[in-house]
Structure formats: C-alpha cells, structure tokens
Amino acid sequence: MADETSRRVAVILLGPPGAGKGTQAKLLAARYGVPHISTGDMFRDNAARGTELGVQAKAIMARGELVPDSLVCDMVAARLRQPDAEHGFVLDGFPRTPAQAGWLDAFLENEFIDNPSGSKGLPVVIQISVDYNQLLLRLTGRRSCPAGHIYNIHLQPPRVADVCDVDGLKLVIRNDDREEVIRERLAAYELQTRPLADYYWNKGRLVSVNGDLPVPAVTGQMVRAIEQQGAAAEVKNPAGSF
Ligand code: AMP
C-alpha cells in the first residue's frame, strides 16, 4: 500500500462553528499531504486584500450570515482546479448548504473522478458533534494570530497573554467571534447547514465523530474513518483515483 503522503485523500468536514474543523483540517492536511481548503479563510484573505469578492463577503460575514452560493461555488471551483488539489483536499466550511453539496458532487463527478461509477471518487464526509455549551466556550474564547495559529483563552491559552507562542504576533479576536454575531452564525448553521448531514446520511456517506474529546482523540477517529473508506475503495477499484 502507498504511504500516507502519496495516497489520494479527499475529506469534507461538517460541524457547527467552533466544532474544531479548522484545527482538525490542518492536522489531516499535513498528515496526508493535501491542501486544507477553508472557504472562511479564503473570504477573510480576500477581505484583507480588498478584492471585489472580499468587499462583497466582508459585510455578510460581519453579520454572521452565509455568502451566496454562487460566489462560494465559483471560488471553490477555482481552488479545486489548482494542481495541488489534484490528489485530494480537506474541505473546511464547504459545503454549507444542500445546494452547495449538490453542486460539489456534480463538480467532482465532472472534473475529478476517473471512474464515476465507483464510490472511490467520493470524499469522506465527517461530521463533528460538539456539546452546545462547549461550543460557546470555544467561540467566545477563540483568539487567532494573523498567520493562522489558533488559541483559546479558556481551554488552550498561549504562554504569554495575547501573543502567539509560535511567531510572537499579537493575537486578535475574529470579527465574527463577537457574541451577537456568534448567535447569528449558530442560527445559520441550524437552518442551512445542519440539513447537510441528512443529505450525506441518506447517501450512506456520513461518518460522525465525537468533537468533545481532546484534539488527538478526535483526529484518531477521523483517521480511522478515512482509512476504512480507503480500504473499502481499494477493494472496489484497485487502479482508480480517490
Ligand atoms: P468560517 O471561518 O468557516 O466560520 O466562515 C466564516 C464566514 O465566511 C461564515 O460565517 C460565512 O459568512 C462565510 N462562509 C464561509 N464558508 C462559507 C460557505 N461555504 N457558504 C457561505 N458562506 C461561507
């Protein structure tokens, strides 16, 4: 069997804001040598650079609402067509509506899958479940450094208050981690994103992990789910792609 860095691995992480999608996505992406694709990070980057997309997304994000599907899907299509995504990816924060999920399935079938009749082409969909009070603690305590390292003042504080352990940069509160915006983001999740679990469940593609456990234990559950799907796919199609 190929080693972990040469395997083709495609993963979709589902879960409410604060479930740990970003943390786990980074770990999985490094483990399997595939890009971590976070639509939230892409919008924040566009907003910081003042692009047209960033200007449109910024006000929507500040209200805790979702950016329209068409804008998100175009951005994701361009990203998935980059050469580094050819052998897989970890999607974090996308899809977020049933319409985005339907679009993604069609996109992957058209552009990614060597063998559309085999289940090998479909990403593993992992839902992270977290207790509601734990979510609030994570979101209200979250501090990020501009380079992307994430801390939590209650659960995982930096060694020096408000300073990144890794690069010494000043930690900031994400614009949308303010309490009133957090409420909106959780409401948007309940209304628009939670139905996605049913979409994938009905297709027999959903795996659920307990996101209340410590970070390494959550990663372990995910790796097992990915390995199991990989093993099943290898039996179905020894020569195919992911
Ligand atoms: P996140 O960092 O994933 O929590 O995303 C931050 C914000 O970016 C969200 O609250 C939305 O406004 C926007 N966003 C990110 N991903 C999507 C998506 N797939 N669909 C719509 N809006 C998104």
Side-chain angles (χ1 to χ4, degrees), residues 39-41 43-44 60-61 64-67 72 92-96 100 174 176 185:
T39 43
D41 284 351
F43 284 129
R44 280 184 286 279
I60 299 171
M61 290 168 75
E65 295 168 7
L66 294 188
V67 177
V72 190
D92 156 16
F94 183 92
R96 225 165 171 125
Q100 291 178 13
R174 255 171 60 167
D176 56 356
R185 290 167 63 206

Side-chain angles (χ1 to χ4, degrees), residues 215-228:
V215 169
V218 179
T219 313
Q221 295 175 74
M222 295 183 171
V223 168
R224 273 193 297 282
I226 293 165
E227 304 295 326
Q228 270 167 15

Side-chain angles (χ1 to χ4, degrees), residues 148-237:
H149 303 107
I150 300 168
Y151 300 85
N152 187 291
I153 54 168
H154 312 299
L155 307 166
Q156 194 200 345
R159 283 194 295 272
V160 178
D162 294 330
V163 177
C164 179
D165 291 350
V166 181
D167 46 36
L169 297 172
K170 186 168 166 42
L171 302 181
V172 294
I173 303 180
R174 255 171 60 167
N175 232 347
D176 56 356
D177 276 347
R178 285 169 295 119
E179 210 168 316
E180 63 282 11
V181 185
I182 288 172
R183 258 197 302 276
E184 282 307 316
R185 290 167 63 206
L186 290 172
Y189 172 78
E190 283 301 325
L191 199 68
Q192 291 163 283
T193 309
R194 197 184 276 284
L196 265 189
D198 290 339
Y199 173 92
Y200 287 116
W201 175 258
N202 290 334
K203 289 176 179 279
R205 291 171 57 196
L206 191 73
V207 180
S208 200
V209 299
N210 178 358
D212 291 326
L213 298 177
V215 169
V218 179
T219 313
Q221 295 175 74
M222 295 183 171
V223 168
R224 273 193 297 282
I226 293 165
E227 304 295 326
Q228 270 167 15
Q229 208 219 25
E234 263 166 39
V235 172
K236 275 193 188 127
N237 176 11

